[in-house]
Amino acid sequence: MHYKRKRIVVALGGNALGDTLPEQMAAVKITAQSLCDLIEEGHQVVVVHGNGPQVGMINNAMSALSREDPRQPNTPLSVCVAMSQAYIGYDLQNALREELRNRGFVRTPVVTVVTQVRVDEQDPAFLNPSKPIGRFLTKEEADEQAIKYGHIMREDAGRGYRRVVASPKPVEIVELDAIRSLVDAGKIVITCGGGGIPVVLRDNHLKGASAVIDKDFASCLLAKELDADMLIILTAVEKVAINFGKENMQWLSELKLDDARRYIDENQFAAGSMLPKVQAAMDFVSSGRERTALITELTKANDALNGKTGTLITP
């Protein structure tokens, strides 16, 4: 078999980062080992990560600040996403740098790009905000937040009220040219963190949007724009399954596009977890010749790439 070095966009799930500062510090070490396994094989790796717990934590901290100090306005969600990109990137690039040097890669630069991702102001997602962020609130606290900041609050499964925001599709990666230059020059780039800072375009002004972009869809767009060979989505399970959690559950080693469409029609994949991963993988695979995608567990990335595990999505 002819071995081909691949350009790979890797989308890291929440389990790659932990939920708290100390957890993240520990988690990125394991994550760096998995990514460096791919780099050591000679592949060109571009890293995208989620930011669910981190952006929630920052959002809560900034909300507390605005409650304590009346002069501090509430921090827009787009700014919270920017903060999370830099803070996660800092931990991740340090862990990658250290792991690379431990393996003898002394001149391999790792860089984080604070990335804006444009969404369409007319995206129907803005009419139906559904992505919960921030902490659980009482009815009184939720009403106050709605009046004070114009936030949309929803009751969440009997656990209290939370702010909900839109999750529009990414349409353009604003810093793409810079990202492409860095990747072409052989740098390891961490980009589109948390799906990107959501912005809408008004004349020449990029305005932050109250939204969160799904990092799997942002990874798919990035992989297409960089003409990557493969999109790898790392998550908490080793393979995609149908009839998940049932007696007739079946793990899938390969998933063809037609079968994937059929399973989606059968509602086989949960909307908040596996569905966007499968959809992003399908979108990338169908976008060009010889493009494939892999969905697997974080520590199994290299094994999956070598055909030992994971779910390979093919045309």
Side-chain angles (χ1 to χ4, degrees):
M1 175 185 148
H2 175 62
Y3 179 74
K4 178 175 180 283
R5 289 194 171 93
K6 291 180 163 65
R7 175 175 284 189
I8 302 170
V9 171
V10 180
L12 300 173
N15 61 324
L17 299 168
D19 287 346
T20 63
L21 280 135
E23 273 183 28
Q24 179 167 304
M25 203 69 121
V28 292
K29 287 190 172 8
I30 296 159
T31 302
Q33 287 168 4
S34 283
L35 293 171
C36 288
D37 286 346
L38 301 177
I39 294 162
E40 201 163 20
E41 290 262 317
H43 299 299
Q44 191 174 40
V45 172
V46 185
V47 183
V48 178
H49 58 78
N51 69 345
Q54 294 82 4
V55 81
M57 179 180 77
I58 291 165
N59 185 62
N60 292 348
M62 300 316 278
S63 296
L65 174 67
S66 69
R67 287 194 299 275
E68 285 170 21
D69 183 350
R71 292 171 308 142
Q72 291 284 354
N74 203 41
T75 308
L77 184 58
S78 53
V79 175
C80 295
V81 174
M83 289 177 174
S84 76
Q85 282 189 358
Y87 143 62
I88 294 166
Y90 158 60
D91 269 358
L92 203 46
Q93 75 187 31
N94 266 1
L96 277 167
R97 181 184 179 280
E98 185 177 334
E99 182 65 26
L100 284 164
R101 274 154 180 70
N102 288 346
R103 297 185 188 207
F105 291 81
V106 180
R107 290 190 179 83
T108 308
V110 189
V111 62
T112 299
V113 178
V114 173
T115 317
Q116 301 173 92
V117 173
R118 187 171 67 80
V119 297
D120 182 355
E121 225 166 336
Q122 305 305 315
D123 191 306
F126 283 112
L127 300 173
N128 180 30
S130 57
K131 196 94 172 167
I133 62 156
R135 66 191 183 96
F136 289 99
L137 303 170
T138 64
K139 176 87 171 74
E140 294 72 29
E141 287 173 322
D143 288 345
E144 185 192 344
Q145 199 163 310
I147 293 161
K148 201 169 170 187
Y149 306 124
H151 291 172
I152 298 161
M153 312 301 291
R154 292 248 174 93
E155 205 264 337
D156 189 329
R159 293 177 293 179
Y161 288 78
R162 290 178 86 187
R163 179 184 177 191
V164 289
V165 295
S167 187
K169 289 283 195 292
V171 292
E172 181 194 1
I173 297 162
V174 177
E175 288 77 18
L176 181 67
D177 276 358
I179 295 161
R180 189 185 281 124
S181 299
L182 287 163
V183 173
D184 287 346
K187 319 299 181 203
I188 295 162
V189 183
I190 301 162
T191 181
C192 296
I197 302 163
V199 293
V200 294
L201 185 62
R202 295 186 182 167
D203 296 323
N204 283 329
H205 176 58
L206 291 168
K207 183 184 188 308
S210 275
V212 287
I213 301 166
D214 188 289
K215 68 108 178 47
D216 297 313
F217 293 139
S219 303
C220 170
L221 177 61
L222 179 69
K224 288 195 282 192
E225 294 284 14
L226 291 177
D227 195 21
D229 302 294
M230 185 176 248
L231 172 64
I232 300 183
I233 298 175
L234 298 178
T235 182
V237 290
E238 206 168 313
K239 293 184 180 184
V240 178
I242 51 172
N243 306 313
F244 188 74
K246 299 177 184 163
E247 280 180 21
N248 59 340
M249 181 169 86
Q250 185 186 340
W251 297 105
L252 306 173
S253 294
E254 189 172 350
L255 185 55
K256 299 261 185 217
L257 290 178
D258 286 345
D259 292 332
R261 288 186 196 102
R262 191 176 81 246
Y263 295 144
I264 286 172
D265 290 342
E266 293 171 4
N267 294 319
Q268 286 283 3
F269 309 124
S273 56
M274 193 51 81
L275 181 62
K277 292 172 176 49
V278 172
Q279 287 172 325
M282 290 167 67
D283 184 357
F284 176 68
V285 169
S286 60
S287 69
R289 290 182 57 208
E290 295 186 9
R291 288 181 174 177
T292 55
L294 253 179
I295 299 175
T296 193
E297 198 263 321
L298 172 67
T299 59
K300 301 283 198 309
N302 203 36
D303 282 349
L305 196 60
N306 291 315
K308 294 176 187 168
T309 185
T311 301
L312 182 67
I313 296 93
T314 57

